[in-house]
Amino acid sequence: MSKVTRLKPLEGGKGRALSLPRPLERVRDRITERAGGLLADMLDGADDTLFDLAEKETDSERDRYFDAMRELRLQRGALETGFRQALGNLFQDSARTPDDRERATGKVAVEDLALVKHEELETTVALDNLARRARKGHDEALRAFQHRLEYLFESKVDVTERNNPLEPRNLAACFSACLERLSLDIRARLIVLKLFERVVMDEAGAMVDEANRVLADAGVLPDMKTVPVPRGRPAGEGGAGAGTSGSGASAAPEQSRTAGGSPSAGDAPAAAPPADNAMFGLLQELLTTLRGLGPAGGAPASGASAPVAGGGAAPTSGMAIMHNGVAHLNGAPLTADAPVQAVSSQDLFGLLTRLQRLEHALEGGADAQDRSVKDELSDLLESENSEAIHALDQADDDVINLVAMLFDFILDDEGLPSEIKALIGRLQIPLLKVAIADKTFFSNEEHDARLLLNTLARAGCQWDPQQGYDDETYQRIDRAVHAIIDDYDEDAALFSELLAEFESFFSDQRARAERVAERVREAEEGKARAEQAADAVRRYIDARLAGRQVPDVAVRLLRQGWQQVLYLTWLRQGEDSDTWRRYAKVVDALVWSVMPHRAPADLEKLRDLSPKVVRALEHGLESIQYDAGETRALLDDLLAVHDSLIKGLETERVAVPKAPEPEPPAPSALPDDHELVARARRLRAGQWLEIGDGDDAQRAKLAANIRDGAKLVFINRRGIKVREYDAAGLAQALHDGEVKLIEDGALFDRALEAVISDLRRMQSA
């Protein structure tokens, strides 16, 4: 009997329930009914969707989909009830003051955030992206709803994206929290979240519009045409409460002196809404271990020397960090009278633009490769003002650290040739500028700069150094990199333009490569099928003739003519066809007809069978257009044998030796159930690998996987066959390091996942 998990309604916080204004109660009831109905529709179709997905998977993978289907069916009632309850709690929480919310929910432990599990992180990223897509085009309606709520609460409650009950991120989080109570693995959970997005979240904007209509009809700001802009916020900057999330993310002081000719305040990048900054905030929490900052506010008294790690006085130059309004150097707070010059995000952006254009930052050398962006920034600032200690905003320092870690992973990636790494490595400063200007760079999987980096890397994985620098793919990557270095300042539209241009080129290349690979695949599959047919026919005839003594004409008929009839029949119609079975019986009849017979019944049977066998042989040989003269001669000889046997005469015979046993394949050091053997069998066409290493390394793509790893054919980018393995041979080569599989998936996403894993290990250590 399967285990049944009882779901309890989700609680939206502890403490006494707050009464809602009557208009808001009507909104709550309307939205709960509508969203609950949409969820029911989604669950109605979930079985069919999961079943369709299961059909495309292997047996081992298929079970997880069936388990998910069973779990959703068993827990459907509790899932719907929990979701409706959670929606009600969202509205209840929107009426709480900040103090009420803090008492109700308690303080969140930083350890809980820092030690987030990989599956939780995947869910967080999925929810952020889901919410961003659902929010698109509905910002104005959401701000109008927030403003009406504040009006209802008489401005006693500040309604932001965090406590807006109709904020898409909050709606999605309600359903995700319900899913956590089910026994679903992460892949199945993400699939169910995708279904939720398509059915329920697609209506999120319509639900906000309906809520605004209900409130307006109830007399809550019915004549509001435009939404007032919150104080201190320029128009068009997202919802209330926007700003950089995460610790230490406050803006630099307005009075700080501009360093390095940075852009003016009017050109500074706008902060992204906190809903899109969830990933960056999480990354900041994970970076806590690396900071090693002293207690906030614990700066030494004025006039004292600023302590540094290892004792002594603080240097008069170097990069400090602004943390909770206090400058820290080497982890220790500086004195109040230390000569600190804050470097705002605007200042930093301008400094990076200057570094981007410096030849040594672009080309580098042995020394430059060992220097970090911070080293370059520190040198540049010191050259302009060596008396001050320059302090970066905490959020900007975190961005610099994160981008540096991402590029460390990228430059260590074995899937990229070193020449391509050298090109992509030169994008560190431009992408650092992108991340400083737009923190959603870390969470938005559709960000143009991320997509361009992934596309360049994917193309670079397929470039072989043996093709040389004049190869068009290398030239295109080189031009894209230099266009960013030369032209990117503040206009991120450059990435979109380059992405469109490169994707057009890459898709043409990919289409041509696919056509070539398809021809190779068809040829190899045809060749393999021909070999399989020839082997099947040879084994069938050998089984009938081997070890017997038969007239030579029978051997020639079967080995020369009839073997071709069977071969073509196997290829055209298969060994399960009626034609194959009929022609195979001819073999048995022919062999029996030429054996010595003495019994009168057998001789009578031979007399009746002889013309039938001859007609069948004649018809079959004609069907393949076998030489007519040869056919007539063979059949005349066969009739002569039959005539001699019927008269009781001896016929001349030849001994047909048994076919030699095929040599067994060389034993592999790896067993058939080894993980690498199984992986080799599952490889799909399009997988790239690198054969050899050093200057002789060669990159090749899998063009055909025939009969689950019986033959794996690899070609180069020009479509020329370069290597052939079976699953065991490829697994052994992988095991011995002679071959490496190339991961050509999204490079940025893999780098981000690796960075998060490293940070989590540091936290747990």
Side-chain angles (χ1 to χ4, degrees):
M1 183 174 179
S2 62
K3 181 180 177 183
V4 178
T5 305
R6 301 294 179 190
L7 293 182
K8 298 178 181 179
L10 296 173
E11 299 186 10
K14 302 174 183 177
R16 64 181 180 86
L18 301 175
S19 60
L20 298 177
R22 178 64 63 183
L24 188 55
E25 285 186 349
R26 287 201 288 271
V27 171
R28 177 197 62 197
D29 296 343
R30 189 80 62 86
I31 296 302
T32 302
E33 184 61 30
R34 182 167 182 173
L38 289 169
L39 177 62
D41 292 342
M42 184 209 89
L43 293 173
D44 286 341
D47 259 19
D48 290 340
T49 303
L50 290 170
F51 185 82
D52 289 343
L53 291 170
E55 287 293 289
K56 302 172 184 176
E57 294 290 349
T58 60
D59 290 341
S60 59
E61 293 289 316
R62 197 173 294 147
D63 289 343
R64 71 154 48 110
Y65 290 96
F66 292 139
D67 290 343
M69 291 161 60
R70 182 168 55 252
E71 187 74 6
L72 286 177
R73 283 197 298 267
L74 288 173
Q75 307 295 350
R76 173 170 179 161
L79 188 62
E80 292 187 56
T81 301
F83 180 61
R84 289 172 180 267
Q85 180 66 48
L87 288 178
N89 291 337
L90 280 183
F91 282 88
Q92 199 71 32
D93 288 345
S94 68
R96 299 183 190 276
T97 64
D99 291 341
D100 290 334
R101 284 197 293 272
E102 186 173 350
R103 284 193 296 271
T105 61
K107 187 177 180 181
V108 178
V110 172
E111 298 82 22
D112 295 336
L113 291 173
L115 299 179
V116 62
K117 295 180 180 178
H118 176 68
E119 290 189 359
E120 294 172 356
L121 185 62
E122 281 196 68
T123 303
T124 298
V125 174
L127 289 175
D128 288 341
N129 291 326
L130 179 157
R132 173 178 50 78
R133 290 189 289 267
R135 206 180 200 281
K136 190 173 183 180
H138 304 294
D139 287 343
E140 187 74 13
L142 280 164
R143 288 200 299 272
F145 181 67
Q146 288 177 195
H147 189 63
R148 285 191 166 100
L149 288 191
E150 290 180 339
Y151 178 85
L152 268 178
F153 297 143
E154 299 176 350
S155 298
K156 294 177 182 177
V157 176
D158 184 22
V159 181
T160 68
E161 291 168 1
R162 185 179 296 275
N163 63 329
N164 181 351
L166 296 186
E167 176 62 40
R169 183 61 166 78
N170 299 334
L171 293 174
C174 284
F175 181 67
S176 179
C178 294
L179 279 185
E180 289 177 5
R181 309 292 183 90
L182 275 64
S183 299
L184 298 175
D185 66 14
I186 182 61
R187 185 170 173 186
R189 195 180 311 158
L190 293 177
I191 290 170
V192 176
L193 277 177
K194 193 68 177 177
L195 296 179
F196 180 78
E197 177 181 5
R198 291 177 183 172
V199 179
V200 182
M201 295 306 296
D202 273 1
E203 296 294 316
M207 286 189 273
V208 176
D209 293 337
E210 183 176 359
N212 276 315
R213 283 195 300 272
V214 171
L215 291 180
D217 292 344
V220 181
L221 302 177
D223 299 323
M224 182 175 61
K225 302 299 183 185
T226 58
V227 184
V229 178
R231 288 193 303 272
R233 298 278 311 285
E237 254 192 51
T244 306
S245 69
S247 59
S250 58
E254 293 182 7
Q255 301 301 321
S256 63
R257 182 169 62 83
T258 300
S262 64
S264 64
D267 295 330
D276 284 341
N277 281 346
M279 172 62 83
F280 180 62
L282 174 62
L283 290 168
Q284 286 189 293
E285 295 291 349
L286 292 174
L287 280 168
T288 303
T289 304
L290 298 183
R291 293 179 187 148
L293 298 174
S302 177
S305 297
V308 295
T316 56
S317 65
M319 301 291 285
I321 307 300
M322 295 297 297
H323 182 67
N324 291 338
V326 178
H328 287 67
L329 187 64
N330 297 325
L334 297 174
T335 60
D337 59 349
V340 175
Q341 177 178 325
V343 180
S344 69
S345 296
Q346 301 166 23
D347 299 336
L348 179 59
F349 199 92
L351 289 165
L352 290 170
T353 297
R354 293 178 61 188
L355 284 180
Q356 183 177 316
R357 292 169 181 167
L358 289 175
E359 187 64 24
H360 75 275
L362 297 179
E363 298 298 339
D367 296 335
Q369 289 176 359
D370 295 331
R371 292 178 61 78
S372 67
V373 172
K374 280 187 179 179
D375 292 333
E376 304 290 350
L377 286 170
S378 180
D379 288 351
L380 186 55
L381 287 167
E382 186 176 358
S383 68
E384 297 182 349
N385 184 357
S386 60
E387 302 300 321
I389 299 174
H390 301 92
L392 293 174
D393 182 78
Q394 179 68 72
D396 291 337
D397 183 66
D398 287 340
V399 171
I400 293 173
N401 288 330
L402 287 170
V403 172
M405 294 174 75
L406 289 169
F407 271 83
D408 284 344
F409 173 89
I410 290 170
L411 297 179
D412 286 339
D413 185 33
E414 293 184 350
L416 285 172
S418 57
E419 295 85 349
I420 301 298
K421 289 180 188 177
L423 285 177
I424 291 180
R426 297 170 71 177
L427 295 178
Q428 180 170 354
I429 289 177
L431 291 184
L432 176 55
K433 290 166 61 179
V434 171
I436 287 172
D438 182 5
K439 302 299 188 296
T440 65
F441 176 70
F442 296 103
S443 61
N444 182 5
E445 59 189 12
E446 301 297 325
H447 198 292
D448 287 335
R450 281 178 60 164
L451 292 175
L452 179 60
L453 177 63
N454 287 336
T455 304
L456 294 177
R458 189 173 293 112
C461 284
Q462 301 175 15
W463 178 76
D464 195 319
Q466 296 179 7
Q467 296 167 239
Y469 297 131
D470 293 332
D471 179 77
E472 188 176 7
T473 296
Y474 182 89
Q475 288 294 320
R476 290 273 186 162
I477 297 172
D478 182 73
R479 285 202 295 273
V481 169
H482 279 87
I484 295 169
I485 293 170
D486 296 341
D487 300 332
Y488 173 61
D489 191 359
E490 298 163 18
D491 186 5
L494 174 64
F495 292 97
S496 177
E497 295 168 5
L498 290 172
L499 177 63
E501 178 183 327
F502 197 89
E503 279 189 335
S504 175
F505 159 74
F506 194 41
S507 63
D508 290 343
Q509 291 276 308
R510 189 164 53 241
R512 284 198 294 271
E514 275 303 313
R515 288 194 295 271
V516 172
E518 182 64 25
R519 287 196 293 270
V520 172
R521 186 159 49 247
E522 289 174 355
E524 290 295 334
E525 288 175 351
K527 181 180 177 183
R529 184 169 171 79
E531 291 173 353
Q532 189 178 6
D535 184 59
V537 171
R538 179 188 55 77
R539 284 187 285 104
Y540 186 85
I541 293 178
D542 283 347
R544 269 61 183 173
L545 287 179
R548 296 178 182 270
Q549 289 192 341
V550 296
D552 178 66
V553 65
V555 177
R556 286 186 288 125
L557 265 170
L558 292 179
R559 295 282 196 210
Q560 296 174 16
W562 204 248
Q563 185 163 319
Q564 295 182 43
V565 173
L566 291 176
Y567 170 76
L568 292 174
T569 302
W570 197 102
L571 282 179
R572 293 167 180 169
Q573 302 181 44
E575 59 183 337
D576 294 327
S577 66
D578 290 338
T579 306
W580 166 269
R581 283 191 287 268
R582 188 170 67 252
Y583 285 164
K585 287 180 180 179
V586 173
V587 177
D588 294 328
L590 172 60
V591 172
W592 184 89
S593 74
V594 295
M595 300 304 294
H597 299 293
R598 294 288 181 265
D602 288 341
L603 292 174
E604 186 61 30
K605 180 180 177 181
L606 176 58
R607 187 177 292 108
D608 181 61
L609 181 64
S610 175
K612 295 179 181 178
V613 170
V614 170
R615 281 197 301 270
L617 289 168
E618 186 175 22
H619 176 75
L621 293 171
E622 284 179 356
S623 70
I624 66 168
Q625 297 181 342
Y626 194 72
D627 182 81
E630 180 69 14
T631 299
R632 189 69 265 158
L634 288 170
L635 294 180
D636 287 345
D637 289 348
L638 178 62
L639 284 170
V641 169
H642 287 168
D643 187 56
S644 296
L645 290 172
I646 291 170
K647 293 176 180 178
L649 302 175
E650 292 293 331
T651 57
E652 193 173 333
R653 296 175 177 273
V654 295
V656 181
K658 290 186 177 181
E661 292 292 329
E663 292 186 11
S668 172
L670 303 178
D672 284 345
D673 59 352
H674 192 279
E675 178 187 357
L676 287 176
V677 178
R679 186 177 183 186
R681 288 196 186 104
R682 293 195 304 268
L683 288 182
R684 295 183 177 180
Q687 171 68 52
W688 285 82
L689 55 74
E690 185 175 70
I691 305 168
D693 54 20
D695 294 338
D696 296 328
Q698 187 176 23
R699 296 196 168 220
K701 180 176 71 170
L702 179 61
N705 180 347
I706 298 169
R707 298 198 305 277
D708 294 328
K711 181 189 285 190
L712 300 163
V713 181
F714 290 88
I715 60 175
N716 63 18
R717 229 180 74 213
R718 294 185 175 88
I720 301 171
K721 180 178 173 180
V722 295
R723 196 64 62 94
E724 184 178 300
Y725 294 96
D726 60 14
L730 179 58
Q732 190 65 55
L734 288 169
H735 181 270
D736 296 341
E738 299 169 2
V739 166
K740 290 182 292 189
L741 294 178
I742 295 174
E743 175 60 71
D744 67 345
L747 177 64
F748 184 94
D749 303 282
R750 289 190 288 117
L752 185 59
E753 183 177 333
V755 167
I756 291 169
S757 297
D758 287 345
L759 290 174
R760 285 184 56 225
R761 279 195 295 270
M762 294 178 192
Q763 284 279 11
S764 57

